[in-house]
Amino acid sequence: MLSLTLAVSVFVAAWAVTGLYLRYALKMRLLDIPNERSSHTFATPRGGGVGFIVTSLSGFVGLGCFGWMNWSAVVALTTSGVLVALVGYFDDRQPIPPRWRLLVHFAAAACVLGWLRGMPDISLGGIVLFVGWSGYVMGAFFLVWVLNLTNFMDGIDGLAAVEAISVFAGGVVLYWTTVAGTDHWIGPLVLVFAIMGFLWWNWPPAKIFMGDVGSGFLGLMMGALSLEAGWTIPALFWSWLILLGVFVVDATVTLLRRVAHAENIFQPHRSHAYQHLARRLGQHQAVTIIVAAINWFWLFPIAFCVAKGWLGGLTGVSIAYSPLVAVVIWLKAGRPDTSYTEHNLLRHND
């Protein structure tokens, strides 16, 4: 009953706050204007991630006050989340140089690692590797990469929201089925329903985009909660890494191929695999549904097997990622869209 009440309350609050922000964004002309690198053709309000950020962070604090969520996790998620949300909020209005954004991102990562005791020990082939102080460095780069790749992958209606819901909901199920007596599932559950409230407005064709304020926040939350899962059971870190597979593979392959072709990696582009696929299909909704299906029917079963100890972590990641790598290469991730014309622009972008 507590879980149901919490879920409904968070969903309604996020839905309402996003709706109010939509009216504010329209009034203040806070719009994403289409350009040659956009996947939408109409000016659309952005910054809607404020809805699920305010709702989820308020939920974390409330849960901490009632003793239903560990205060170390509450402080880690709220302090780091506010930092990333603020830099994203201002970047949505006036672009901030990458070096300053990265500085804030690493500061946020330091907050997470400080309160969560760094990077969890890594289980590898039945052996647990104690990472020690080196884990802080590894963890910082991991968090900053997941944060930024989520921003890279936030390019069509509903995609980043659906990915985050899949990852957090998958994490909740893994906790319920593998760990007895833990309350770590409640944080991801709050995020699931907060994002669902936003997705009501963001589902194709989107009425509002989450913006950098939202995508950066979601990336940090996914990275931070994967570390917390690893501290609970080492195998769960691998499981969360598997759940992140679509975004990790597409963003990483795209970046590596752009670097190989000496392209400016800080310049906006439309060369991710999901963007190529959206242009082939001529719509966003189909791509978002395909990604959700991959998450639940391919990645989650493998993540579950790893969490239960039926598969090794590295083996599970290899099995999960291999076909995804092949698909994104086939979709020409990291290669320019040579068939681009103004008439091929899709209607909306996320």
Side-chain angles (χ1 to χ4, degrees):
M1 183 59 68
L2 169 64
S3 298
L4 179 60
T5 303
L6 176 67
V8 172
S9 300
V10 169
F11 173 83
V12 171
W15 174 84
V17 174
T18 305
L20 290 172
Y21 185 87
L22 172 59
R23 295 176 62 182
Y24 168 77
L26 287 170
K27 180 180 179 181
M28 301 302 293
R29 302 294 295 172
L30 303 176
L31 305 175
D32 192 317
I33 307 299
N35 57 45
E36 69 277 6
R37 294 186 178 89
S38 301
S39 295
H40 65 291
T41 54
F42 301 106
T44 304
R46 64 182 174 186
V50 167
F52 58 73
I53 292 170
V54 170
T55 305
S56 58
L57 293 186
S58 299
F60 295 158
V61 173
L63 290 168
C65 291
F66 283 101
W68 296 328
M69 190 171 174
N70 183 284
W71 267 107
S72 293
V74 172
V75 175
L77 297 178
T78 53
T79 54
S80 62
V82 168
L83 280 175
V84 169
L86 283 175
V87 74
Y89 183 83
F90 290 113
D91 192 49
D92 280 333
R93 281 148 183 75
Q94 182 66 41
I96 298 173
R99 63 181 179 276
W100 297 116
R101 293 202 308 270
L102 283 174
L103 180 63
V104 176
H105 293 169
F106 275 105
C111 288
V112 171
L113 295 167
W115 284 98
L116 295 185
R117 299 176 293 156
M119 187 90 173
D121 300 324
I122 299 173
S123 60
L124 197 62
I127 301 173
V128 177
L129 303 179
F130 301 98
V131 296
W133 284 100
S134 65
Y136 285 89
V137 177
M138 295 166 55
F141 280 96
F142 169 74
L143 288 171
V144 171
W145 176 231
V146 175
L147 188 164
N148 281 278
L149 70 84
T150 304
N151 179 267
F152 299 158
M153 296 292 290
D154 176 33
I156 61 174
D157 295 353
L159 182 63
V162 164
E163 173 74 2
I165 290 170
S166 299
V167 171
F168 293 132
V172 170
V173 176
L174 291 177
Y175 276 128
W176 285 346
T177 55
T178 61
V179 186
T182 183
D183 58 1
H184 289 167
W185 56 268
I186 202 162
L189 185 70
V190 167
L191 284 160
V192 167
F193 285 93
I195 301 164
M196 287 176 65
F198 164 78
L199 186 60
W200 178 282
W201 304 97
N202 185 237
W203 185 258
K207 296 179 178 65
I208 191 169
F209 303 155
M210 69 173 63
D212 288 351
V213 60
S215 60
F217 176 84
L218 288 184
L220 182 69
M221 293 299 106
M222 288 190 284
L225 290 173
S226 69
L227 296 184
E228 184 182 48
W231 276 113
T232 307
I233 297 178
L236 283 179
F237 174 71
W238 292 105
S239 294
W240 277 70
L241 201 58
I242 290 167
L243 294 175
L244 285 163
V246 171
F247 273 28
V248 170
V249 170
D250 193 346
T252 303
V253 171
T254 299
L255 178 67
L256 292 176
R257 297 187 82 178
R258 295 190 74 217
V259 169
H261 289 87
E263 296 182 32
N264 182 357
I265 61 173
F266 295 109
Q267 184 177 15
H269 62 94
R270 303 187 330 133
S271 61
H272 285 284
Y274 76 89
Q275 291 170 318
H276 284 295
L277 181 59
R279 287 191 291 275
R280 290 189 186 188
L281 298 179
Q283 60 171 302
H284 292 187
Q285 180 171 295
V287 178
T288 298
I289 292 173
I290 288 170
V291 168
I294 291 171
N295 288 335
W296 285 107
F297 297 111
W298 174 248
L299 296 177
F300 178 77
I302 299 172
F304 180 80
C305 290
V306 170
K308 297 294 277 187
W310 302 334
L311 271 179
L314 191 58
T315 301
V317 169
S318 299
I319 293 171
Y321 282 19
S322 294
L324 297 182
V325 171
V327 169
V328 299
I329 291 175
W330 174 69
L331 288 171
K332 299 181 179 179
R335 304 300 299 272
D337 176 31
T338 56
S339 63
Y340 170 80
T341 67
E342 288 293 332
H343 297 291
N344 286 335
L345 274 172
L346 299 177
R347 180 172 180 174
H348 281 281
N349 171 45
D350 183 18

